[in-house]
Amino acid sequence: LVPIVGGALAVSGGTLTTNGAGYGVPPLVMIPPPPPAQSNVNGVGGIPAQAIAVLGTGGSISSIIIINPGAGYPSAPAITAGV
């Protein structure tokens, strides 16, 4: 994931480092919020991004879909998934 104009997130060659296994339902995807306006280099408060996990074979995470790219991210945040 990389920031794009306006600090929104976009998928760009991201790789799942650990897919997990045995999930019966997709786990929560956690994306930290962008920094507040006073500490953000672009001077804008942000809108947190949101994403969902998609399960594949054996209940492992096959992909993550960004449903709201958010705004105000000066760089790509670390995204985690878990219960």
Side-chain angles (χ1 to χ4, degrees), residues 41-73:
V41 295
N42 64 15
V44 178
I47 298 170
Q50 298 173 320
I52 58 172
V54 177
L55 295 183
T57 306
S60 63
I61 299 171
S62 63
S63 63
I64 292 178
I65 299 171
I66 296 174
I67 57 174
N68 176 354
Y73 287 94

PDB file of all heavy atoms in Angstrom, residues 41-73:
ATOM      1  N   VAL A  41       2.217  16.383   8.207  1.00  0.00           N
ATOM      2  CA  VAL A  41       3.016  17.254   7.341  1.00  0.00           C
ATOM      3  C   VAL A  41       2.195  17.916   6.243  1.00  0.00           C
ATOM      4  O   VAL A  41       2.557  18.977   5.747  1.00  0.00           O
ATOM      5  CB  VAL A  41       4.208  16.500   6.708  1.00  0.00           C
ATOM      6  CG1 VAL A  41       5.182  16.058   7.778  1.00  0.00           C
ATOM      7  CG2 VAL A  41       3.740  15.324   5.872  1.00  0.00           C
ATOM      8  N   ASN A  42       1.065  17.310   5.869  1.00  0.00           N
ATOM      9  CA  ASN A  42       0.248  17.949   4.834  1.00  0.00           C
ATOM     10  C   ASN A  42      -0.780  18.916   5.429  1.00  0.00           C
ATOM     11  O   ASN A  42      -1.569  19.512   4.700  1.00  0.00           O
ATOM     12  CB  ASN A  42      -0.407  16.910   3.911  1.00  0.00           C
ATOM     13  CG  ASN A  42      -1.383  16.014   4.623  1.00  0.00           C
ATOM     14  OD1 ASN A  42      -1.811  16.296   5.737  1.00  0.00           O
ATOM     15  ND2 ASN A  42      -1.741  14.912   3.992  1.00  0.00           N
ATOM     16  N   GLY A  43      -0.768  19.087   6.756  1.00  0.00           N
ATOM     17  CA  GLY A  43      -1.616  20.070   7.418  1.00  0.00           C
ATOM     18  C   GLY A  43      -3.096  19.757   7.432  1.00  0.00           C
ATOM     19  O   GLY A  43      -3.920  20.624   7.686  1.00  0.00           O
ATOM     20  N   VAL A  44      -3.434  18.519   7.166  1.00  0.00           N
ATOM     21  CA  VAL A  44      -4.841  18.127   7.082  1.00  0.00           C
ATOM     22  C   VAL A  44      -5.108  17.042   8.110  1.00  0.00           C
ATOM     23  O   VAL A  44      -4.310  16.129   8.273  1.00  0.00           O
ATOM     24  CB  VAL A  44      -5.152  17.582   5.665  1.00  0.00           C
ATOM     25  CG1 VAL A  44      -6.602  17.116   5.569  1.00  0.00           C
ATOM     26  CG2 VAL A  44      -4.850  18.622   4.609  1.00  0.00           C
ATOM     27  N   GLY A  45      -6.239  17.150   8.778  1.00  0.00           N
ATOM     28  CA  GLY A  45      -6.687  16.051   9.621  1.00  0.00           C
ATOM     29  C   GLY A  45      -7.121  14.928   8.708  1.00  0.00           C
ATOM     30  O   GLY A  45      -7.396  15.145   7.532  1.00  0.00           O
ATOM     31  N   GLY A  46      -7.173  13.752   9.196  1.00  0.00           N
ATOM     32  CA  GLY A  46      -7.432  12.636   8.304  1.00  0.00           C
ATOM     33  C   GLY A  46      -8.748  11.936   8.529  1.00  0.00           C
ATOM     34  O   GLY A  46      -9.446  12.179   9.504  1.00  0.00           O
ATOM     35  N   ILE A  47      -9.035  11.068   7.601  1.00  0.00           N
ATOM     36  CA  ILE A  47     -10.174  10.165   7.675  1.00  0.00           C
ATOM     37  C   ILE A  47      -9.582   8.756   7.685  1.00  0.00           C
ATOM     38  O   ILE A  47      -8.832   8.399   6.775  1.00  0.00           O
ATOM     39  CB  ILE A  47     -11.101  10.340   6.457  1.00  0.00           C
ATOM     40  CG1 ILE A  47     -11.675  11.758   6.431  1.00  0.00           C
ATOM     41  CG2 ILE A  47     -12.221   9.294   6.477  1.00  0.00           C
ATOM     42  CD1 ILE A  47     -12.392  12.096   5.145  1.00  0.00           C
ATOM     43  N   PRO A  48      -9.878   7.960   8.711  1.00  0.00           N
ATOM     44  CA  PRO A  48      -9.309   6.614   8.771  1.00  0.00           C
ATOM     45  C   PRO A  48      -9.760   5.745   7.589  1.00  0.00           C
ATOM     46  O   PRO A  48     -10.917   5.789   7.168  1.00  0.00           O
ATOM     47  CB  PRO A  48      -9.843   6.048  10.082  1.00  0.00           C
ATOM     48  CG  PRO A  48     -10.187   7.253  10.899  1.00  0.00           C
ATOM     49  CD  PRO A  48     -10.648   8.282   9.904  1.00  0.00           C
ATOM     50  N   ALA A  49      -8.839   4.959   7.077  1.00  0.00           N
ATOM     51  CA  ALA A  49      -9.147   4.007   6.013  1.00  0.00           C
ATOM     52  C   ALA A  49      -9.828   2.785   6.616  1.00  0.00           C
ATOM     53  O   ALA A  49      -9.697   2.514   7.812  1.00  0.00           O
ATOM     54  CB  ALA A  49      -7.866   3.599   5.298  1.00  0.00           C
ATOM     55  N   GLN A  50     -10.580   2.060   5.783  1.00  0.00           N
ATOM     56  CA  GLN A  50     -11.252   0.836   6.216  1.00  0.00           C
ATOM     57  C   GLN A  50     -11.036  -0.243   5.160  1.00  0.00           C
ATOM     58  O   GLN A  50     -11.001   0.053   3.963  1.00  0.00           O
ATOM     59  CB  GLN A  50     -12.748   1.069   6.388  1.00  0.00           C
ATOM     60  CG  GLN A  50     -13.082   2.094   7.450  1.00  0.00           C
ATOM     61  CD  GLN A  50     -14.571   2.417   7.462  1.00  0.00           C
ATOM     62  OE1 GLN A  50     -15.197   2.521   6.418  1.00  0.00           O
ATOM     63  NE2 GLN A  50     -15.120   2.570   8.649  1.00  0.00           N
ATOM     64  N   ALA A  51     -10.905  -1.477   5.623  1.00  0.00           N
ATOM     65  CA  ALA A  51     -10.702  -2.586   4.703  1.00  0.00           C
ATOM     66  C   ALA A  51     -11.341  -3.846   5.269  1.00  0.00           C
ATOM     67  O   ALA A  51     -11.637  -3.922   6.467  1.00  0.00           O
ATOM     68  CB  ALA A  51      -9.212  -2.818   4.469  1.00  0.00           C
ATOM     69  N   ILE A  52     -11.559  -4.833   4.392  1.00  0.00           N
ATOM     70  CA  ILE A  52     -12.091  -6.126   4.804  1.00  0.00           C
ATOM     71  C   ILE A  52     -11.159  -7.223   4.318  1.00  0.00           C
ATOM     72  O   ILE A  52     -10.472  -7.075   3.312  1.00  0.00           O
ATOM     73  CB  ILE A  52     -13.523  -6.362   4.278  1.00  0.00           C
ATOM     74  CG1 ILE A  52     -13.570  -6.270   2.742  1.00  0.00           C
ATOM     75  CG2 ILE A  52     -14.509  -5.393   4.908  1.00  0.00           C
ATOM     76  CD1 ILE A  52     -14.911  -6.674   2.144  1.00  0.00           C
ATOM     77  N   ALA A  53     -11.141  -8.319   5.062  1.00  0.00           N
ATOM     78  CA  ALA A  53     -10.361  -9.491   4.668  1.00  0.00           C
ATOM     79  C   ALA A  53     -11.270 -10.441   3.894  1.00  0.00           C
ATOM     80  O   ALA A  53     -12.460 -10.561   4.189  1.00  0.00           O
ATOM     81  CB  ALA A  53      -9.798 -10.189   5.895  1.00  0.00           C
ATOM     82  N   VAL A  54     -10.699 -11.124   2.917  1.00  0.00           N
ATOM     83  CA  VAL A  54     -11.405 -12.132   2.133  1.00  0.00           C
ATOM     84  C   VAL A  54     -10.742 -13.470   2.426  1.00  0.00           C
ATOM     85  O   VAL A  54      -9.514 -13.582   2.381  1.00  0.00           O
ATOM     86  CB  VAL A  54     -11.332 -11.818   0.620  1.00  0.00           C
ATOM     87  CG1 VAL A  54     -12.001 -12.907  -0.191  1.00  0.00           C
ATOM     88  CG2 VAL A  54     -11.944 -10.463   0.326  1.00  0.00           C
ATOM     89  N   LEU A  55     -11.575 -14.470   2.747  1.00  0.00           N
ATOM     90  CA  LEU A  55     -11.024 -15.782   3.077  1.00  0.00           C
ATOM     91  C   LEU A  55     -10.898 -16.656   1.837  1.00  0.00           C
ATOM     92  O   LEU A  55     -11.717 -16.589   0.927  1.00  0.00           O
ATOM     93  CB  LEU A  55     -11.908 -16.492   4.101  1.00  0.00           C
ATOM     94  CG  LEU A  55     -12.002 -15.841   5.474  1.00  0.00           C
ATOM     95  CD1 LEU A  55     -12.860 -16.700   6.409  1.00  0.00           C
ATOM     96  CD2 LEU A  55     -10.627 -15.621   6.076  1.00  0.00           C
ATOM     97  N   GLY A  56      -9.861 -17.480   1.857  1.00  0.00           N
ATOM     98  CA  GLY A  56      -9.627 -18.442   0.787  1.00  0.00           C
ATOM     99  C   GLY A  56      -9.663 -19.853   1.332  1.00  0.00           C
ATOM    100  O   GLY A  56     -10.272 -20.129   2.369  1.00  0.00           O
ATOM    101  N   THR A  57      -8.962 -20.737   0.687  1.00  0.00           N
ATOM    102  CA  THR A  57      -8.899 -22.145   1.044  1.00  0.00           C
ATOM    103  C   THR A  57      -8.406 -22.342   2.475  1.00  0.00           C
ATOM    104  O   THR A  57      -7.451 -21.704   2.900  1.00  0.00           O
ATOM    105  CB  THR A  57      -7.941 -22.874   0.082  1.00  0.00           C
ATOM    106  OG1 THR A  57      -8.355 -22.611  -1.255  1.00  0.00           O
ATOM    107  CG2 THR A  57      -7.950 -24.372   0.330  1.00  0.00           C
ATOM    108  N   GLY A  58      -9.089 -23.207   3.198  1.00  0.00           N
ATOM    109  CA  GLY A  58      -8.662 -23.539   4.556  1.00  0.00           C
ATOM    110  C   GLY A  58      -8.867 -22.434   5.565  1.00  0.00           C
ATOM    111  O   GLY A  58      -8.304 -22.464   6.651  1.00  0.00           O
ATOM    112  N   GLY A  59      -9.663 -21.449   5.207  1.00  0.00           N
ATOM    113  CA  GLY A  59      -9.912 -20.354   6.137  1.00  0.00           C
ATOM    114  C   GLY A  59      -8.745 -19.405   6.287  1.00  0.00           C
ATOM    115  O   GLY A  59      -8.630 -18.698   7.284  1.00  0.00           O
ATOM    116  N   SER A  60      -7.864 -19.339   5.283  1.00  0.00           N
ATOM    117  CA  SER A  60      -6.754 -18.384   5.334  1.00  0.00           C
ATOM    118  C   SER A  60      -7.165 -17.090   4.632  1.00  0.00           C
ATOM    119  O   SER A  60      -8.090 -17.081   3.819  1.00  0.00           O
ATOM    120  CB  SER A  60      -5.512 -18.964   4.659  1.00  0.00           C
ATOM    121  OG  SER A  60      -5.753 -19.195   3.296  1.00  0.00           O
ATOM    122  N   ILE A  61      -6.485 -16.017   4.939  1.00  0.00           N
ATOM    123  CA  ILE A  61      -6.770 -14.734   4.293  1.00  0.00           C
ATOM    124  C   ILE A  61      -6.170 -14.768   2.893  1.00  0.00           C
ATOM    125  O   ILE A  61      -4.973 -14.964   2.731  1.00  0.00           O
ATOM    126  CB  ILE A  61      -6.189 -13.562   5.098  1.00  0.00           C
ATOM    127  CG1 ILE A  61      -6.807 -13.515   6.498  1.00  0.00           C
ATOM    128  CG2 ILE A  61      -6.417 -12.238   4.359  1.00  0.00           C
ATOM    129  CD1 ILE A  61      -6.140 -12.523   7.431  1.00  0.00           C
ATOM    130  N   SER A  62      -7.032 -14.606   1.879  1.00  0.00           N
ATOM    131  CA  SER A  62      -6.539 -14.622   0.498  1.00  0.00           C
ATOM    132  C   SER A  62      -6.262 -13.222  -0.023  1.00  0.00           C
ATOM    133  O   SER A  62      -5.420 -13.042  -0.897  1.00  0.00           O
ATOM    134  CB  SER A  62      -7.521 -15.338  -0.418  1.00  0.00           C
ATOM    135  OG  SER A  62      -8.756 -14.646  -0.464  1.00  0.00           O
ATOM    136  N   SER A  63      -6.992 -12.235   0.503  1.00  0.00           N
ATOM    137  CA  SER A  63      -6.751 -10.859   0.073  1.00  0.00           C
ATOM    138  C   SER A  63      -7.382  -9.896   1.061  1.00  0.00           C
ATOM    139  O   SER A  63      -8.172 -10.283   1.919  1.00  0.00           O
ATOM    140  CB  SER A  63      -7.318 -10.611  -1.327  1.00  0.00           C
ATOM    141  OG  SER A  63      -8.721 -10.772  -1.339  1.00  0.00           O
ATOM    142  N   ILE A  64      -7.009  -8.636   0.918  1.00  0.00           N
ATOM    143  CA  ILE A  64      -7.604  -7.552   1.705  1.00  0.00           C
ATOM    144  C   ILE A  64      -8.105  -6.521   0.710  1.00  0.00           C
ATOM    145  O   ILE A  64      -7.375  -6.125  -0.207  1.00  0.00           O
ATOM    146  CB  ILE A  64      -6.575  -6.947   2.680  1.00  0.00           C
ATOM    147  CG1 ILE A  64      -6.235  -7.986   3.763  1.00  0.00           C
ATOM    148  CG2 ILE A  64      -7.103  -5.666   3.315  1.00  0.00           C
ATOM    149  CD1 ILE A  64      -5.211  -7.549   4.771  1.00  0.00           C
ATOM    150  N   ILE A  65      -9.356  -6.126   0.879  1.00  0.00           N
ATOM    151  CA  ILE A  65      -9.984  -5.151  -0.020  1.00  0.00           C
ATOM    152  C   ILE A  65     -10.184  -3.841   0.732  1.00  0.00           C
ATOM    153  O   ILE A  65     -10.796  -3.822   1.808  1.00  0.00           O
ATOM    154  CB  ILE A  65     -11.338  -5.667  -0.533  1.00  0.00           C
ATOM    155  CG1 ILE A  65     -11.144  -6.967  -1.324  1.00  0.00           C
ATOM    156  CG2 ILE A  65     -12.039  -4.608  -1.378  1.00  0.00           C
ATOM    157  CD1 ILE A  65     -12.451  -7.652  -1.692  1.00  0.00           C
ATOM    158  N   ILE A  66      -9.674  -2.756   0.191  1.00  0.00           N
ATOM    159  CA  ILE A  66      -9.880  -1.431   0.787  1.00  0.00           C
ATOM    160  C   ILE A  66     -11.266  -0.942   0.381  1.00  0.00           C
ATOM    161  O   ILE A  66     -11.555  -0.808  -0.804  1.00  0.00           O
ATOM    162  CB  ILE A  66      -8.794  -0.441   0.331  1.00  0.00           C
ATOM    163  CG1 ILE A  66      -7.424  -0.908   0.830  1.00  0.00           C
ATOM    164  CG2 ILE A  66      -9.096   0.972   0.833  1.00  0.00           C
ATOM    165  CD1 ILE A  66      -6.269  -0.092   0.314  1.00  0.00           C
ATOM    166  N   ILE A  67     -12.137  -0.703   1.383  1.00  0.00           N
ATOM    167  CA  ILE A  67     -13.484  -0.222   1.086  1.00  0.00           C
ATOM    168  C   ILE A  67     -13.619   1.284   1.274  1.00  0.00           C
ATOM    169  O   ILE A  67     -14.556   1.887   0.782  1.00  0.00           O
ATOM    170  CB  ILE A  67     -14.557  -0.981   1.907  1.00  0.00           C
ATOM    171  CG1 ILE A  67     -14.290  -0.873   3.404  1.00  0.00           C
ATOM    172  CG2 ILE A  67     -14.620  -2.434   1.475  1.00  0.00           C
ATOM    173  CD1 ILE A  67     -15.375  -1.467   4.277  1.00  0.00           C
ATOM    174  N   ASN A  68     -12.701   1.875   2.017  1.00  0.00           N
ATOM    175  CA  ASN A  68     -12.641   3.327   2.175  1.00  0.00           C
ATOM    176  C   ASN A  68     -11.159   3.686   2.242  1.00  0.00           C
ATOM    177  O   ASN A  68     -10.484   3.320   3.205  1.00  0.00           O
ATOM    178  CB  ASN A  68     -13.363   3.769   3.445  1.00  0.00           C
ATOM    179  CG  ASN A  68     -13.249   5.263   3.705  1.00  0.00           C
ATOM    180  OD1 ASN A  68     -12.541   5.977   3.006  1.00  0.00           O
ATOM    181  ND2 ASN A  68     -13.943   5.735   4.729  1.00  0.00           N
ATOM    182  N   PRO A  69     -10.628   4.382   1.245  1.00  0.00           N
ATOM    183  CA  PRO A  69      -9.187   4.660   1.237  1.00  0.00           C
ATOM    184  C   PRO A  69      -8.734   5.684   2.268  1.00  0.00           C
ATOM    185  O   PRO A  69      -7.538   5.854   2.481  1.00  0.00           O
ATOM    186  CB  PRO A  69      -8.937   5.162  -0.180  1.00  0.00           C
ATOM    187  CG  PRO A  69     -10.243   5.745  -0.597  1.00  0.00           C
ATOM    188  CD  PRO A  69     -11.291   4.892   0.067  1.00  0.00           C
ATOM    189  N   GLY A  70      -9.661   6.350   2.930  1.00  0.00           N
ATOM    190  CA  GLY A  70      -9.289   7.337   3.920  1.00  0.00           C
ATOM    191  C   GLY A  70      -8.648   8.559   3.293  1.00  0.00           C
ATOM    192  O   GLY A  70      -8.656   8.732   2.074  1.00  0.00           O
ATOM    193  N   ALA A  71      -8.067   9.414   4.130  1.00  0.00           N
ATOM    194  CA  ALA A  71      -7.394  10.630   3.655  1.00  0.00           C
ATOM    195  C   ALA A  71      -6.465  11.122   4.751  1.00  0.00           C
ATOM    196  O   ALA A  71      -6.668  10.843   5.929  1.00  0.00           O
ATOM    197  CB  ALA A  71      -8.412  11.714   3.312  1.00  0.00           C
ATOM    198  N   GLY A  72      -5.430  11.853   4.353  1.00  0.00           N
ATOM    199  CA  GLY A  72      -4.512  12.462   5.304  1.00  0.00           C
ATOM    200  C   GLY A  72      -3.350  11.590   5.733  1.00  0.00           C
ATOM    201  O   GLY A  72      -2.645  11.923   6.683  1.00  0.00           O
ATOM    202  N   TYR A  73      -3.125  10.476   5.038  1.00  0.00           N
ATOM    203  CA  TYR A  73      -1.978   9.619   5.372  1.00  0.00           C
ATOM    204  C   TYR A  73      -0.726  10.151   4.677  1.00  0.00           C
ATOM    205  O   TYR A  73      -0.678  10.215   3.455  1.00  0.00           O
ATOM    206  CB  TYR A  73      -2.220   8.179   4.908  1.00  0.00           C
ATOM    207  CG  TYR A  73      -3.223   7.423   5.745  1.00  0.00           C
ATOM    208  CD1 TYR A  73      -4.564   7.378   5.389  1.00  0.00           C
ATOM    209  CD2 TYR A  73      -2.829   6.753   6.889  1.00  0.00           C
ATOM    210  CE1 TYR A  73      -5.487   6.686   6.149  1.00  0.00           C
ATOM    211  CE2 TYR A  73      -3.740   6.055   7.666  1.00  0.00           C
ATOM    212  CZ  TYR A  73      -5.071   6.021   7.287  1.00  0.00           C
ATOM    213  OH  TYR A  73      -5.978   5.340   8.046  1.00  0.00           O
TER     214      TYR A  73
END
